[in-house]
Amino acid sequence: LAGLPGLAGVLERLSQTLTLSEFLPRMVSAACRRSMVLVTLLFPFLAASTVAILYGFSRRLIGGPDYRRLAAYSAILFVLAPNIVMMALFLDQAFYPPLFLLLAGAILLAMRRKSFGACLVVGAALYGAIFLSFSMLPLLVIPVLYFAAFHWQERAPVAVVWANFKRSLLPMGLGGLLALLLFKLFLNYDIFTRYQRMMATRIEGDFYTRLGIPYTGEAPFVETVRQAWEAARLNNVELAVAIGFPVFVFFVVMGVRSLLRVLRREADATAAINASLFLAYVGLNVLRVVLGEAARLWMFWAPVMALLAVQYLLPALRRARWLMFALVALQLITVFLSYQYQDYLMPQLLP
């Protein structure tokens, strides 16, 4: 993109006249400088788009008289998340959070409307998102979880479940299959081979090489369970610090409460949405996909966690607005302490 004829000249001039970022020693070519200038200018706008998507999600899917307050408070907590503040100019910060929330909202809206065409398009978009990053894989389970939660909650008869399946999950799957065939035909991209190689590399690097353990192939089931448990402990503590402990804790509380309401079939229009998002996060922990670095790799959960946390806190915030000031203060303190004691600058890359 930075090499486009009309844009390259502008970026080249900007790289010479504006000091926008520190150029790394091995990235001093003109092409690298243009790309870095483009990233420095474009990524803040992409990151800020999450605020607009939070508003749209709150209005279209959560609704209610307090949707504006929900969107505003969620945006504040999202913007003040330590990893969002300090890991700027990364795709994980600028692109994946708005993309994840946008597609999650598109999935849930299409499922609600039971539109064959909309679900077909969303299914193709999901495959495109996974092509960009396997971090978007949790999106695949959200429609299945929401479909199951909604129909369980509504006590829908089998005939209704089947009819809704043909108008929602089926076209979504067909859209993904169509995208898979097109990517294979025109780009020779095989998602299954690529995923297997990525996971093999990730597991060997995170669970063996990093720990100084020789890799001897696929671990036994008991060892796999142990690794998944250790990874879940580390990743959740790291992400809780990176998102902010209050946001993370209330996200979990709201997720568990919504799941219990679905299981009890209580009347709650948003319980199925919240439960499906929460279970998608739980499933990510079960899969043993990463050991550490969750603050960056799982940053796309930040707007979702803020939304669920604020939903839980809204009744208290109506009665005592000072609670929001306390949350903001806690987020700022966490940002300050993280800045003081955690190194996000990768000094090994600097002179």
Side-chain angles (χ1 to χ4, degrees), residues 66 257 310-320:
D66 283 337
R257 189 173 78 171
V310 173
Q311 284 183 69
Y312 180 80
L313 291 170
L314 264 182
L317 291 172
R318 292 192 201 102
R319 298 190 300 270

Side-chain angles (χ1 to χ4, degrees), residues 241-252:
V241 175
I243 297 291
F245 276 111
V247 176
F248 185 85
V249 168
F250 290 121
F251 159 74
V252 173

Side-chain angles (χ1 to χ4, degrees), residues 27-44:
M27 299 178 65
V28 294
S29 67
C32 285
R33 287 178 177 271
R34 288 196 301 268
S35 297
M36 290 180 71
V37 171
L38 180 63
V39 164
T40 306
L41 293 174
L42 179 61
F43 276 24

Side-chain angles (χ1 to χ4, degrees), residues 54 57-58 62 70 74 101 302-312:
L54 279 167
F57 196 101
S58 301
I62 307 301
L70 170 63
S74 300
L101 188 63
V304 174
M305 290 184 172
L307 268 171
L308 266 69
V310 173
Q311 284 183 69
Y312 180 80

Side-chain angles (χ1 to χ4, degrees), residues 146-162 164 260-268 272:
Y146 177 75
F147 184 87
F150 175 80
H151 289 93
W152 171 264
Q153 197 175 16
E154 295 293 320
R155 293 184 171 87
V158 175
V160 173
V161 174
W162 175 243
N164 290 339
L260 291 175
R261 286 184 172 179
V262 169
L263 293 175
R264 294 168 182 164
R265 291 173 165 168
E266 296 178 11
D268 187 340

Side-chain angles (χ1 to χ4, degrees), residues 15-202:
S15 69
Q16 296 170 0
T17 57
L18 299 177
T19 304
L20 297 174
S21 59
E22 181 76 18
F23 293 108
L24 300 178
R26 292 185 292 275
M27 299 178 65
V28 294
S29 67
C32 285
R33 287 178 177 271
R34 288 196 301 268
S35 297
M36 290 180 71
V37 171
L38 180 63
V39 164
T40 306
L41 293 174
L42 179 61
F43 276 24
F45 292 98
L46 289 176
S49 69
T50 310
V51 175
I53 299 170
L54 279 167
Y55 176 81
F57 196 101
S58 301
R59 180 181 178 184
R60 298 290 184 183
L61 287 162
I62 307 301
D66 283 337
Y67 76 86
R68 289 187 178 88
R69 189 176 299 176
L70 170 63
Y73 290 162
S74 300
I76 291 171
L77 295 181
F78 166 75
V79 169
L80 293 178
N83 53 356
I84 296 295
V85 172
M86 291 186 292
M87 293 187 185
L89 304 184
F90 282 87
L91 280 172
D92 305 88
Q93 184 254 16
F95 186 55
Y96 296 148
L99 177 65
F100 185 82
L101 188 63
L102 179 66
L103 286 178
I107 289 168
L108 296 167
L109 278 175
M111 296 284 290
R112 272 188 175 182
R113 295 177 180 177
K114 302 177 183 65
S115 167
F116 189 96
C119 289
L120 189 73
V121 172
V122 168
L126 288 179
Y127 188 89
I130 295 167
F131 172 77
L132 293 175
S133 172
F134 282 121
S135 296
M136 298 292 106
L137 276 172
L139 288 168
L140 291 183
V141 301
I142 291 175
V144 178
L145 292 171
Y146 177 75
F147 184 87
F150 175 80
H151 289 93
W152 171 264
Q153 197 175 16
E154 295 293 320
R155 293 184 171 87
V158 175
V160 173
V161 174
W162 175 243
N164 290 339
F165 172 82
K166 291 188 291 184
R167 290 184 293 172
S168 57
L169 285 182
L170 180 61
M172 205 169 284
L174 291 175
L177 180 61
L178 177 62
L180 184 150
L181 295 174
L182 290 175
F183 273 72
K184 180 65 176 177
L185 179 63
F186 292 103
L187 299 178
N188 195 29
Y189 179 77
D190 186 346
I191 190 172
F192 301 107
T193 302
R194 178 71 183 87
Y195 178 75
Q196 288 174 351
R197 290 176 180 172
M198 182 275 296
M199 284 299 298
T201 302
R202 171 69 68 179

